[in-house]
Structure formats: C-alpha cells, structure tokens
C-alpha cells in the first residue's frame, strides 16, 4: 500500500474518532426527552384507539372532564360543572370561559358539540366512537345535532350547526338513550372522541384530519412516524385556567412556570432493549412503556437512575369460546382454571414484577375481590374426571396466542401454561400462533376455543372489565356467551345480563359494588374467562436522577406537562 | 451418487468438501440421536432455575423459563435441517421441471417463464418469504413452502441453461430423430449432465435456506413455541442481551453459522470439482 | 464508448423487460394477499364492540367487497397514475409513508454497500497480492464464512460488544433524541442534510448511529465482494498489460492499484445489482435489530396488521428500486468497461 493511501486512511480514522468523542457534552436543558416502545397509529380522533395515540391527544387537546393526578374520579376540565336530569338521560355541562385553542380561536359550546358530532359522523373503523354510542343529541340551545342510533349528523348539518344562533355559548346539553352510570367516566377517558378541535383549523367535516388545533398544554410541532414527536408549550390560555385545577404541588410549580417544560420530545424505540440502552446512555430523560422485567431489575440496580412503579389497570387473561366443544363443558373450563399456576408464570416470565390476578376486575379498582381459586391440581383432576377425562382418555386442546401484539413474552406464557396444564397428566396442549389480523378474525368467528387476550380499560369502571365479553359483545371478543349451547352457560348469561345491566342503572356506589362483586364470583364459577396477571411491567417509568414530577396513577395517563428537570 | 462422489473425492485434496461433509454429518447424527444425546427434555423440562449461566449440569446455561439451552439447541437442529433440506428439495424439483420445460420448448413460453423467474430472482428473497409465511400462517409446511418458492429460480436457471446447451448438441438431436420421447431424452442425457451443478446449487441454497429459516423465526414468523428453534431462541435471548445473558444468543447463533457454513463448504467443494481452475481463484 | 442514441435504445429495451417484471411481482403479491386467510378490516377492528353491518360498511369503504378481478384492475390503473392507495394502519397515503421511510433505508443500504466494498476490496486485493500466504488463507476463510452469518445475530453480537460492554456506539435509532429535537430534516437523507446545514456535530452524531447498522449489513456482503475482487485481481495481475506496465518501470504498488484495481472493479460492479436485492433483505433484519426507522420495518408492520395496500405498495416500490439500481449499474458498467457498447 502506498504511503499516501495509508496517510489518508489514518487521517480519516482520526477525524472520525475526533468527531465521535467531541459529541460528549451535548445537553439542551430546556428539552425534556421521553422514550417509549409504544407507537402512534394515526392522529385522528374518530379513528384512533390505542394508548400512545390517545396519550398524544392528551398532550395537545382536552376533554369536558378529566382525571386529575392521583384520582380516578372525573373532575372539571373544559366543563366547569354539570348536572344530570332526574331520569338520568339529560346532561347539562357549564363550559369554561376564556379557553382558547392553540390557533387562537375561542373555545365554546359549538366547537365542543361540533367535534363530538363530527366524530360520531366519521366513526372510523379503528376508532372508539362506539364507546359513546349512547349519545342521541348534542345541543347548544336552540341549535342541535341529532345522533339517534343509526342516524348520524351529516356534513351539511355539521356545517349548518356552526353557523346557527346560540343563546348561551357556554352551555352544552347532551341527551343519552338511557341512564348510564358510566357516562361521565367515558367522557373523562383520555380521548374518547369527545374533544375540542377548532373548526377553523381543521379539514372539512367529512375527512379524517391529520392536523388540528387543541386546547392542551402543548402544541404538536413535528411528528415523524416511528421516530419522534416534538411538542412545544402552547401559547394559548391553558396555563391560566388549567394550573389552578391541578393538585399541589403541581399547582405551585405550574403557576411558577416550572411546568410544563417548553419543549418535549418523545422518541419511539423498537424494543425494550433499545429503550433501556437509551435511558442508560442518558439519550432520553425518561423511559416509559414498556420495559422487559429483566431490564427493570437491572435498571433498579443502576445508581444513576430512578425507577418508578405505578399501579396498573391493564390485565391479561384466557378466553374460552363457550359454544365450542370441549369448552362448552364448564368442568373443563374450571379444571383449567384450577391448573394454571399464576405464580410460576409471573416468576419465570416476568421475574416476579407482575401481579397474579384472581379477578377480571383488577386490584386497585373499586369492587375488586379475589374471586378465582388458587392453583389446585387435585381439584383440577377431579373436574376433569367429572367431565369424563382421565389419563387413558386425555383431554386434547389447542392454546392460541398472537406473537407481537402483546409484546414478545407471549411465547413464554404459552410454554408455561402448556406445562401447567400437562402437569395434570390428563390434558395435552398443542400451542398455535396466529398473527394479530388472523387472530382477531378467527376469534370473532368463534373458531378459537381457548386463547390469550389482554385488556386495557376504555374508561375506569368495573363495568368495562366485565360487560364487553359477557353481555355487550360476546362474539366480538370470542366468548360467545350469548349463544351458549349448554343450559348451565345459558343461565350464566342470563345472570350476567341481570347483574351488569342493573349495575349501570343506578349511581349508588354501594349498590353497584354489590352487583359487581356478585358478577366476579359468578365469573369464577362459570369460568368463561380466566384472569392471569395484572400487567405491572407496563406501568414502570425509568428516569434520570434530575427528573421530577412523573405521576404514575391508576388512570395510567402519562402527563408530560407535569414533568420537569432540576 | 455415492460412486460419483468416491470416484472424484480425494479427501486430502478436497479439504473444503471434507470439512463441510463432516460438519453436516455431525449435525445430522446429533439431531437424529437427539432423544439419547440431549440431557433434558427441550420443552417440558423447566427445572433449571432462571437465567443460569453455563455450568456443569447445564453446559450452555438455562433460559428464563428454566429450560436447558443445550437440549434446545440439539433439538433445534432438527427444525433447521428439515425446513432447509425439504424446501430446497421442493425448489429443486419444481425449478428443474419448469427450467426443463422452458428450455426444451423455447419460444414464447420460455420467454414468459424466464421473465417470471427473473422477477422472483431479482426480488429480495427475505421479503418474499416473510410476506408468504405471514399470509399462509406459521406452521412447518407453510414455512417450507414459503422458503421453497424463493429458491425455485436458482434451479430454473441452471437447468434451463443446461437444457439449452445440450439441446444444440448432436446426441440429443440424434435421440430425437430416433423418436425417443421427451422424458427419456431428459432422463438419459440431460439429467446426468446437470446433476453436478445441481448438487452445488442445492448446497448453496440449503446454506442460505438455513439463514432464511432462522431469520423468519427470529422475526416471529416461525414455528409456534415452545418448539425448539434457533432463530426463535435468539429472539428470546435478545430480551436478555443488555442484561448480559450472553449464552442465550451466542450458542444458537453459532449453530446457525456452523450448519450453514457446512453446507456452504460442500457447495464450494463441489464447485471446485466441477471447475478445477476456479479453485485457485475463488476458494 | 457509449453513443447517446445507443444508450437511449438500451434503456428502452431494458424498460420493456422491467415493466412486466414489476407487473408480475405486483400481481403475485396482490393475489397472494387475497387468497390467504386474514381480514384487514377485522385486523383493524381488533375485537371491539362492532356490528356486522358496520364491518360490511368498512369493507365497502376499502373496496374489499368487489370481485377480485375488479379490485385488481382498479389497483393497476391507480398504480399507473402514481396512486399507491391509503394505508389502513397509518391512515396516510402509502406513497407518502414510503417516501418518509425510504431515505433511512437507502442511507443504510448505501453505507452498508460502502462498508462491504471497502472491506471486500481491501481484503480481496490484499489476499490476491499475498496469494497463498497465511493472510490469504485467513481472508478466504472469512469470505466463505461471512455467507453463513445471520445478519440479525451479528447485529446483536456487535451490540453486545460495542454497545453494552464498550459503550462506543448507540444501539438504536438514527439520531440522538436531544439533537433530533431541533433537527428539521430537508432531504431526510440525514448525512446529506447535515452537510447542507454544515453542522459537524450533527454529522458526527449521524455517523455514530449509522456505524454499527451499516457495518452489520456490510460485513455479510463483504465476503462475496472479497472473493470477486481477489479472483479478478489475480486474473488481472497475470495479464499482459500489467506486465507491460511493470516493464515500463512503474513501481509495484502502482501496478497493483492503478491498473489492476480499475479492472477488478468491473466484475464487482456487475454483481452489485443483485447484491442490492440481498442488501434490501438484509436491511429488514438490520432495521429490526437496530430500531432503524426505515422501509423494511414499515413492511413488517404492514404485514402484521394485514395492510394490503401498504404491502403491495412497498413491494412495487422495492421492485422499481431494484430495477432502477440495476439499470444504473449497467450504465456505470459501460463507463468502466470500454469494451461494452450499447
């Protein structure tokens, strides 16, 4: 090799090394960086229904009512106060004055009703508009938007509504089809489609928008799919009206302008390992959702970091399709319920960080009781014998799971469950995997008999942990309880309808608690689903030592606007 | 075939071929004898604790479910071999058939088939395999089919080229003139002439198919666990990489490299036999 | 050398082959997606409270209720007009989605190729010059072995060594998030952007993130290039004109590099077209291992969520890309090799 070539090579190396090393001290103090393995699907109110997209909406816009840090009770936000009629179907909201959107437009009744009406009209396939399908009329008297079941407001009606005369721009009336104790909780939901968008800055009513102005603490500056989101503190009135609503010490911090940070960058990582490495290297100030158990344990040992654990209302469970043999036999289902070893599952797969779950309503939510039995192989065998199975006549079943939708611990879970059930020496388990699209299709057509699912609540109420599978949408979620073939299961269904419908008709918390407790006991008895664990690993945040103000509460809302650096 | 090999192989001269065959034979033996060799059950034994490093009782350590890594690796070889070899056998039969038809009949049919095969060939095989296996659903058969499809063009090209070359040669024409059926012409003349290069191509394809299978499993498009599978076990081990549990990815990865290399060396060796001049330059 | 008219004629001929090729791949994937089980509408709905009528409505909205052939023809005519359709997963125009992610993939591929060429060319030349000495044997073993290394695995091993143990390089992403906060990409080819912005700190960070992924991708391909450059160097070294050059009194290194290298480049360039396809396949795995926000990850995610239009769009895009690259390489080839005429 000629000398010249060598010299050039050495020069390039030195240059590269120098550039690399010179990078060390790069800090921008007024930027808060948050890393996640979650992702944004699409920023469309009427067509989004996933954690991080909703999280993004929360940063940039608002809802009528909200869950303040540490609370699971809906409290005032864009609505200052509200009342409900005697029969429980007419809700009157007094809206806050002096709120502006990030584009400067003023918030009022028409903007709010128009946004909700528009979402009802759009009702995107991936959205959660179904959660507020009890709304039948939105009005800013005398102007109104009708949304009878099956009848949506049309784009013309929506446009006309914005121009209509209104008596009081700060009074919103929502009529619902029948009394519903969960209605307010649904509105408090981080982002049900009930939200304020500025008509001025949005695209036409009949289109799925991608840009919008909101009322939130931040404004969205940049969104690069699968890379990052950049927020800047909003020039609007959020601080003046929202700071006083915060509990202490956030109120003082907010008033003193310590929070929100002027700029927040959220970075998307492909997996826990990358996120963890970024936190360890100080590339991000905070890491949230989701670390593997092993990474959390390691990070806890790192003296330069703080590891925060929050409560989690996310649950994982087994579902049976009750009209498919052999799962139409309650004894088979109970045997499986006795045979699963939640402790081993939790230790082996999650290093002991998740909590074994003995009811679909998780601990931390009112009315929770440990309704399901702990592991008992003798009883499992007895139930199998009752169902006619024995070592010579084994029960052969297939366990289905989906590989990526719930992170990549599912394979391990399936392996443990298989070993658990085969320990009865009567059950033989074949494990099958389907990617999410096919999984959902097969589950909804009722052809998966025994499979794993997960649930993150739409709104915080025991109803949302029971009704969807048992009474509201048993086909959609694969239990088919409403089409039960056995007499026993039919009676289960009738009892669930009584309990769950009854619990929604009253707002008396005592009466509701009693009904939900009964429903949990009934579920353990009917064993239509088997709760397995509470997903605590999802509720861990890991931060640099100088980061303050991270609130992890039961709502699992991650409020960027409360976080600051010292 | 054995005679063909013994006649040509001088193991001391053909070091690459010898090493390749030895490696592959060892893998085949070990996987065949897995039930006797593997110290533990690869699926249902979970008694090794949790994430234990290599020790006397678990030579390659223990995974997070308490399973023995060595035992899983031994059984994992079965999947790798079955998938790679059977998919390449399918591509070989289909590819040769289409290649023969195309080369023999020529004309528009030949041009169309060549175009189709070139399209498949030029497209990234990994992407094609992923789409196919994801759409078909992950099980052994679908995995074999998906991988088989991507190697068809390799055999198509070899056979078509050979057929075109031989077609112009006199003895085929002579056979044709004598009224021999198409199939007989192929079996008698063309097949023996292509077998050498087919073996080399097959070896290379198997070597590549082992990597493709591992990659599909790694991406989560492979066989359903708890089936022991190298690619999937690396995927599992990835979760514990930053925690320093190096043994979970190292051993399955080395097995993939070794087995794929074994077939690769066989391919190299055969190529050398076919083209001795090439040896000095390539190998 | 090339005459302009000849080149134009050649390009036209090539297009006549390329277009049916892309059409075939498109057709293949189109029908593959539709014959197979799995419903994009249900994949989107994800097991929610939803009525069968509504499912039909969405299916109609996506045009999935029409006969297969009608869907196919409609899709074809759209593609011809440059309309790749809308993604059911991201809700955006697929072409927009692709263009957003594609620069990341291309940047990775180009640097991967660069690494492969640097390692391959250097090692191959070195081996040829030191033919049959220990260095040559070592390089030959590496060249053969490099085929057998799974891309994703070597990526993990590099992460373990250089990311976890030595902490030299970041294990994920394209850019440090703190820098990303104030970075407004222009072309989305980050290296190019940093050069346009004349920001050395930015460039350094981009290179730091690019180092391990491109090395991973390049390493696996370097073997083939190494073999080819070794054999063509050997051939060239033997050739007369080098001997002539030597007799003219040129010094040894100049003989080896100036004359021989140029001729050794030719076979390397010819395989680059095919290599590019392998590179794209390798990029899927590299992007997965290093959280690289590129096209390959987009494709895998689209497959996961049964996003038909997005999968088709990505396949067509990659097919077009590969054809274009191979065309460009042919043209470069004609410049390198004076014997080639069109």
């Amino acid at each position: 090799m000629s000398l010249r070539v060598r010299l050039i090579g050495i020069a390039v190396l030195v240059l590269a090394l120098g550039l690399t090393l010179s990078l060390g001290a790069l800090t921008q103090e007024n930027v808060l960086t948050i890393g996640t393995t979650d992702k944004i699907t699409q920023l469309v109110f009427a067509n989004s229904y996933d954690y991080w997209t909703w999280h993004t909406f929360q940063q940039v816009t608002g809802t009528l009512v909200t869950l303040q840090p540490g609370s699971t009770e809906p409290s005032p936000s864009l609505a200052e106060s509200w009342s409900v009629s005697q029969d429980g179907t007419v809700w009157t909201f007094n809206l806050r004055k002096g709120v502006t959107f990030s584009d400067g437009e003023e918030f009022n009744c028409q903007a709010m009703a128009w946004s909700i009406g528009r979402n009802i009209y759009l009702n995107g396939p991936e959205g959660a508009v179904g959660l507020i399908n009890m709304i039948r009329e939105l009005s800013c008297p005398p102007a109104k938007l009708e949304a009878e079941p099956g009848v949506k407001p049309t784009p013309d009606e929506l446009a006309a509504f914005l121009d209509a005369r209104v008596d009081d721009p700060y009074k919103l009336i929502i009529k619902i089809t029948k009394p519903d104790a969960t209605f307010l909780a649904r509105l408090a939901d981080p982002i049900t489609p009930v939200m304020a968008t500025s008509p001025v800055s949005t695209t036409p009513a009949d289109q799925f928008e991608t840009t919008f102005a909101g009322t939130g603490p931040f404004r969205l500056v940049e969104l690069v799919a699968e890379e990052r989101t950049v927020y800047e503190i909003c020039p609007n009135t959020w601080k003046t009206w929202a700071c006083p609503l915060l509990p202490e010490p956030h109120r003082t911090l907010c008033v003193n302008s310590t929070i929100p940070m002027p700029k927040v960058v959220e970075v998307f990582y492909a997996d826990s390992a990358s996120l963890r490495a970024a936190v360890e290297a100080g590339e991000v100030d905070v890491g949230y959702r989701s670390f593997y158990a092993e990474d959390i344990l390691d990070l806890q040992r790192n003296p330069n970091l703080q590891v925060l654990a929050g409560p989690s209302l996310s649950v994982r469970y087994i579902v049976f399709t009750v009209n498919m043999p052999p799962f139409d036999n309650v004894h088979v289902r109970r045997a499986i319920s006795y045979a699963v070893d939640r402790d081993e599952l939790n230790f082996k797969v999650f290093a002991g960080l998740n909590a074994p779950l003995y009811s679909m309503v998780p601990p931390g939510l009112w009315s929770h009781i440990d309704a399901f039995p702990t592991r008992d192989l003798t009883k499992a065998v007895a139930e199998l014998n009752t169902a006619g199975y024995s070592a010579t006549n084994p029960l052969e079943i297939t366990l289905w799971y989906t590989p990526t939708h719930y992170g990549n611990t599912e394979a391990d879970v399936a392996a443990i469950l298989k070993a658990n059930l085969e320990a009865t020496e009567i059950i033989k388990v074949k494990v099958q995997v389907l990617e999410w699209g096919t999984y959902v299709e097969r589950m909804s057509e009722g052809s998966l008999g025994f499979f794993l699912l997960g649930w993150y609540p739409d709104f915080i109420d025991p109803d949302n942990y029971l009704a969807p599978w048992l009474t509201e949408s048993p086909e959609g979620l694969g239990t088919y309880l409403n089409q039960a073939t056995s007499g026993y299961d039919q009676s289960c269904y009738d009892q669930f309808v009584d309990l769950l419908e009854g619990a929604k008709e009253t707002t008396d918390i005592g009466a509701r608690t009693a009904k939900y407790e009964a429903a949990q006991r009934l579920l353990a008895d009917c064993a239509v689903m088997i709760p397995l664990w509470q997903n605590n690993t999802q509720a861990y945040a890991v931060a640099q030592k100088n980061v303050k103000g991270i609130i992890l509460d039961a709502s699992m809302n991650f409020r960027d606007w409360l976080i600051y650096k010292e | 075939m054995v005679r063909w090999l013994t006649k040509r192989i001088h193991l001391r001269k053909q070091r690459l071929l010898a090493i390749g065959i030895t490696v592959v034979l060892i893998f085949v033996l070990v996987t065949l004898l897995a039930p006797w060799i593997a110290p533990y059950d690869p699926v249902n034994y979970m008694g090794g604790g949790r994430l234990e490093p290599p020790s006397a009782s678990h030579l390659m350590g223990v995974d997070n479910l308490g399973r023995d890594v060595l035992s899983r690796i031994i059984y994992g070889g079965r999947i790798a071999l079955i998938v790679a070899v059977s998919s390449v056998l399918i591509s070989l039969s289909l590819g040769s058939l289409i290649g023969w038809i195309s080369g023999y009949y020529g004309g528009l049919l030949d041009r169309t088939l060549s175009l189709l095969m070139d399209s498949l060939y030029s497209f990234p095989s990994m992407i094609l395999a992923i789409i196919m296996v994801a759409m078909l659903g992950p099980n052994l058969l679908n995995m074999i089919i998906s991988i088989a499809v991507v190697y068809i063009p390799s055999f198509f090209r070899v056979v078509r080229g050979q057929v075109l070359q031989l077609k112009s040669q006199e003895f085929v024409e002579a056979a044709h003139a004598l009224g021999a059926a198409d199939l007989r012409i192929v079996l008698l003349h063309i097949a023996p002439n292509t077998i050498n290069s087919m073996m080399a191509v097959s070896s290379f394809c198997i070597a590549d198919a082992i990597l493709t299978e591992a990659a599909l499993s790694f991406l989560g498009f492979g066989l359903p666990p708890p089936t022991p599978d190298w690619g999937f076990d690396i995927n599992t081990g990835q979760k514990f990489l930053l925690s320093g549990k190096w043994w979970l990815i190292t051993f399955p990865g080395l097995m993939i490299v070794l087995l794929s290399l074994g077939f690769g060396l066989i391919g190299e060796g055969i190529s050398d036999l076919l083209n001795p001049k090439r040896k000095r330059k390539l190998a | 050398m090339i005459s302009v008219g000849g080149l134009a004629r050649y390009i036209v001929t090539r297009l006549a082959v390329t277009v049916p090729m892309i059409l075939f791949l498109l057709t293949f994937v189109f029908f593959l997606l539709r014959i197979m089980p799995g419903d994009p509408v249900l994949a989107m709905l994800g097991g929610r409270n939803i009525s069968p009528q509504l499912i039909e409505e969405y299916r109609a909205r996506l045009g999935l209720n029409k006969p297969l052939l009608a869907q196919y023809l409609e899709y074809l005519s759209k593609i011809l007009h440059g309309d790749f359709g809308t993604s059911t997963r991201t809700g955006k125009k697929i072409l927009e989605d692709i263009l957003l992610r594609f620069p990341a993939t291309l940047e990775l591929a180009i640097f991967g190729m660069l690494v492969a060429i640097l390692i391959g060319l250097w090692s191959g030349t070195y081996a040829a010059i030191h033919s049959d000495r220990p260095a040559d044997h070592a390089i030959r073993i590496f060249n053969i072995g490099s085929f057998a290394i799974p891309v994703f695995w070597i990526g993990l091993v590099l992460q373990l060594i250089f990311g976890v143990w030595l902490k030299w390089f970041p294990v994920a992403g394209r850019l440090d998030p703190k820098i990303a906060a104030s970075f407004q990409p222009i072309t989305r080819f980050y290296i190019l952007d940093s050069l346009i912005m004349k920001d050395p700190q930015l460039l350094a960070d981009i290179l730091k993130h690019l180092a391990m992924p491109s090395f991973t991708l390049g390493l696996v391909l370097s073997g083939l290039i190494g073999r080819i450059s070794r054999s063509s160097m050997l051939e060239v070294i033997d050739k007369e004109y080098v001997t002539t050059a030597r007799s003219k009194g040129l010094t040894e290194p100049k003989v080896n590099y100036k004359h021989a290298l140029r001729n050794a480049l030719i076979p390397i360039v010819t395989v680059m077209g095919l290599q590019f396809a392998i590179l794209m396949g390798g990029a899927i795995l590299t992007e997965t291992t290093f959280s690289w926000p590129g096209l390959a990850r987009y494709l895998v995610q689209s497959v996961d969520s049964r996003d038909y239009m997005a999968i088709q769009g990505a396949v067509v895009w990659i097919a077009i890309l590969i054809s274009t690259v191979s065309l460009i390489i042919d043209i470069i080839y004609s410049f390198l090799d004076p014997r080639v005429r069109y």
Side-chain angles (χ1 to χ4, degrees), chain B residues 115-116 118-124 126-127 130-132 134-136 211 214-215 218-219 234 238 241-242 246 249-250 253-254 256-257 260-261 265 268 278 280-283, chain C residues 17 20-21 24-25 32-33 36-37 140 144-145 147-148 150 152-153 156 159-160 164 227 230-231 235 238 274 277 280-281 284-285 288 299 303-304 306 311 315 318-319 322:
Chain B
L115 185 70
L116 297 192
D118 280 350
S119 315
L120 272 187
Y121 192 71
S122 63
F123 198 75
M126 185 68 72
I127 295 176
I130 287 175
I131 295 176
M132 287 193 60
M135 295 304 136
L136 288 166
L211 298 184
F218 173 74
L219 289 174
I234 292 178
Q238 190 186 5
L241 182 73
L242 294 190
W246 56 271
I249 62 154
T250 308
L254 283 176
I256 299 172
V257 174
S260 175
L261 188 61
L265 289 176
E268 294 287 340
R278 187 175 165 273
R280 190 178 84 91
K281 288 175 188 146
L282 280 188
Chain C
V17 182
M21 219 175 222
F24 165 71
L25 279 168
L32 181 74
L33 291 177
M36 304 310 168
R140 276 152 69 187
I144 296 174
F147 284 108
F152 58 93
W153 182 69
L156 291 177
Q159 278 184 12
L160 186 66
V164 180
R227 292 160 64 112
R230 178 177 176 274
S231 63
E235 207 166 292
D238 292 344
L274 191 60
M280 289 301 297
I284 282 207
L285 299 165
T288 308
L299 182 70
V303 168
D304 266 339
R306 282 268 178 300
I311 301 173
V315 167
I318 293 171
I322 287 170

Side-chain angles (χ1 to χ4, degrees), chain B residues 211-223:
Chain B
L211 298 184
T212 309
E213 190 274 337
L216 288 179
S217 316
F218 173 74
L219 289 174
F221 297 111
L223 294 177

Side-chain angles (χ1 to χ4, degrees), chain A residues 1 26 42 49 123 125-126 224-227 263 265 267 269-270 274 277 282-283 435 437-438 440-441 472-473 477, chain C residues 38-39 42-43 45 47-49 58 88-91 101 122 171-172 177-179 181 188 190 291 293 301 304 306:
Chain A
M1 210 182 285
L26 235 166
Q42 35 182 297
Y49 192 17
N123 193 12
E126 296 187 68
V224 186
E226 281 142 49
E227 280 185 53
K263 196 167 194 171
V265 182
V267 191
Y269 291 90
S274 323
E283 271 192 22
E435 56 78 38
T438 323
V440 171
E441 182 182 15
E472 281 175 8
S473 176
L477 291 162
Chain C
D39 185 312
L42 287 167
L45 299 175
R48 310 213 185 109
N49 305 338
Y58 296 136
T88 52
R89 183 170 65 91
T90 67
R101 290 164 179 82
W122 176 81
V171 296
K178 292 197 170 57
I179 297 179
R188 303 201 57 79
Y190 282 8
S291 307
Q301 282 166 357
D304 266 339
R306 282 268 178 300

Side-chain angles (χ1 to χ4, degrees), chain A residues 240-279:
Chain A
T240 47
W241 67 265
C243 284
L245 297 177
L246 293 173
E248 287 295 359
H250 314 295
R251 190 184 306 155
T252 314
L253 290 167
C254 189
V255 170
N256 293 343
S257 282
T258 310
I259 56 172
M261 293 277 284
K263 196 167 194 171
V264 177
V265 182
E266 292 175 350
V267 191
F268 301 104
Y269 291 90
D271 50 37
S272 165
S274 323
L275 177 58
R276 170 193 166 167
V279 176

Side-chain angles (χ1 to χ4, degrees), chain A residues 521-552:
Chain A
R521 274 190 294 271
L522 181 63
L523 183 58
D525 191 50
C526 301
V528 179
M529 300 175 281
I530 302 173
L532 290 177
W533 75 90
Q534 196 173 1
N535 231 349
N536 292 342
T537 45
Q538 269 192 346
Y540 277 84
V542 182
Q544 310 296 331
K545 278 275 196 251
N546 65 339
V547 176
K548 302 277 182 259
I550 298 173
I551 300 290
L552 302 170

